[in-house]
């Protein structure tokens, strides 16, 4: 089984947490979307949405986050064969879908310095155009991605879009806070796939330096956040890449690659 992902991709983190929590072995392939690696024809043929992550098991390819996680759960159920692992309840599944409804794209980009986003956005558009000429049979799909890039830039200048994204996040956090009044985790006293889906959102807020505004003002969420950060899966999937020199190394390496390719006009 292969997973194509990136350490900073929120959906990739969800899937990797699921894999670690269910003790599923897999081969990891890093695909950096900021440098346009997800636009390479080989990857694009496998997943024309160019989104991360992509999970491949033989000829079976999945790129919907919830479908991947549910597939992982089925593999774990079959592999355990002892009843230690049970199928997720209806409540867990409902939480998974509720969490996935929030799209972090506009919220995240709106908290990144504009000059960096504009620079990388222009780079990605040039990458798409270059790949379009390399693989003319994929021109229609590449054209769709190009249109999406322009649409994203346009929506980022719409205050209503940004406000709606933040309001959706706040509503989700408030619902989680209310739920944590009743249980240790999102669904009962055990860490479930609902938590797998939610934890990366808190990690994203921390990465953006927004813990104070969105986490620390919610007492139950603070305790929950402290608790989940102690899990081995969190330390391996998220903390390992977000702490100290590793985070700076990833960001610096990515920025240098983008700058160098722009200077050399090698897209």
């Amino acid at each position: 089984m292969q997973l194509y992902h990136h350490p900073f991709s929120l959906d990739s983190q969800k899937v990797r947490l699921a894999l670690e929590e269910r003790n599923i072995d897999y081969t990891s392939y890093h695909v950096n979307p900021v440098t346009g690696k997800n636009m390479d024809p080989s990857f694009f043929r496998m997943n024309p949405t160019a989104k991360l992550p992509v999970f491949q098991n033989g000829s079976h390819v999945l790129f919907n986050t919830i479908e991947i996680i549910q597939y992982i759960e089925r593999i774990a159920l079959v592999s355990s064969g002892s009843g230690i692992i049970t199928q997720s309840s209806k409540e867990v599944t409902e939480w998974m879908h509720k969490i996935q409804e929030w799209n972090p794209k506009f919220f995240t980009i709106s908290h990144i310095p504009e000059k960096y986003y504009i620079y990388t956005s222009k780079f990605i558009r040039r990458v798409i155009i270059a790949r379009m000429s390399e693989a003319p049979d994929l021109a229609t799909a590449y054209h769709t991605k190009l249109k999406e890039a322009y649409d994203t830039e346009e929506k980022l200048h719409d205050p209503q879009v940004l406000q709606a994204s933040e309001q959706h996040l706040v509503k989700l956090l408030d619902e989680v806070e209310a739920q944590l009044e009743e249980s240790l985790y999102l669904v009962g006293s055990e860490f479930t796939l609902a938590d797998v889906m939610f934890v990366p959102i808190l990690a994203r807020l921390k990465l953006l330096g927004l813990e104070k505004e969105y986490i620390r003002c919610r007492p139950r969420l603070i305790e929950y956040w402290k608790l989940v950060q102690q899990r081995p899966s969190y330390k391996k999937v998220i903390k390992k890449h977000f702490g100290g020199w590793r985070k700076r190394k990833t960001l610096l390496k990515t920025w240098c690659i983008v700058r160098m390719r722009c200077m050399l006009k090698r897209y």
Side-chain angles (χ1 to χ4, degrees), residues 106 151-164:
F106 295 110
D151 287 345
T152 297
E153 280 201 22
E154 185 177 338
K155 288 179 179 178
L156 282 169
H157 292 93
D158 185 345
Q160 291 185 343
V161 172
L162 302 181
Q163 185 180 34

Side-chain angles (χ1 to χ4, degrees), residues 46-58:
M46 181 169 56
N47 174 20
T49 70
K51 294 179 180 179
L52 296 174
V54 173
F55 185 81
Q56 184 176 19
N57 186 13

Side-chain angles (χ1 to χ4, degrees), residues 151-210:
D151 287 345
T152 297
E153 280 201 22
E154 185 177 338
K155 288 179 179 178
L156 282 169
H157 292 93
D158 185 345
Q160 291 185 343
V161 172
L162 302 181
Q163 185 180 34
S165 179
E166 183 184 19
Q167 288 176 344
H168 192 162
L169 171 64
V170 169
K171 180 183 177 183
L172 175 61
L173 295 177
D174 287 343
E175 289 183 20
V176 169
E177 178 72 8
Q179 179 62 34
L180 294 176
E181 291 278 355
E182 303 177 5
S183 57
L184 185 63
Y185 294 103
L186 281 180
V187 183
S189 60
E190 299 292 331
F191 188 88
T192 68
L193 293 180
D195 301 288
V196 161
M197 294 286 292
F198 182 65
V199 168
I201 292 178
L202 300 182
R204 174 61 55 89
L205 292 172
K206 180 179 180 179
L207 180 66
L208 295 172
L210 299 171

Side-chain angles (χ1 to χ4, degrees), residues 2-103:
Q2 297 86 37
L3 180 70
Y4 300 84
H5 67 100
H6 189 268
F8 283 18
S9 160
L10 194 144
D11 282 344
S12 293
Q13 291 167 3
K14 294 173 183 178
V15 170
R16 290 194 66 217
L17 283 173
L19 286 163
E20 295 300 328
E21 288 288 337
R22 294 294 185 259
N23 295 312
I24 302 296
D25 293 329
Y26 64 99
T27 303
S28 169
Y29 294 100
H30 282 199
V31 179
N32 193 334
V34 179
T35 61
K37 291 300 290 182
N38 57 325
M39 297 298 172
D40 286 357
S42 58
F43 184 85
F44 208 65
R45 291 182 197 282
M46 181 169 56
N47 174 20
T49 70
K51 294 179 180 179
L52 296 174
V54 173
F55 185 81
Q56 184 176 19
N57 186 13
S59 60
H60 200 51
V61 178
L62 296 170
F63 42 83
N64 175 286
T65 302
I66 291 181
E67 289 179 4
I68 295 173
I69 291 175
Q70 291 176 331
Y71 184 80
I72 290 167
E73 182 178 47
R74 289 196 295 273
I75 292 174
L77 285 168
V78 172
S79 300
S80 67
S82 58
I84 296 175
I85 299 175
T86 58
Q87 189 169 3
S88 293
S89 66
K90 180 181 178 182
E91 189 177 358
V92 169
T93 303
E94 287 174 352
W95 268 107
M96 289 172 67
H97 284 279
K98 182 184 295 187
I99 293 164
Q100 192 64 9
E101 285 173 1
W102 181 63
N103 186 339

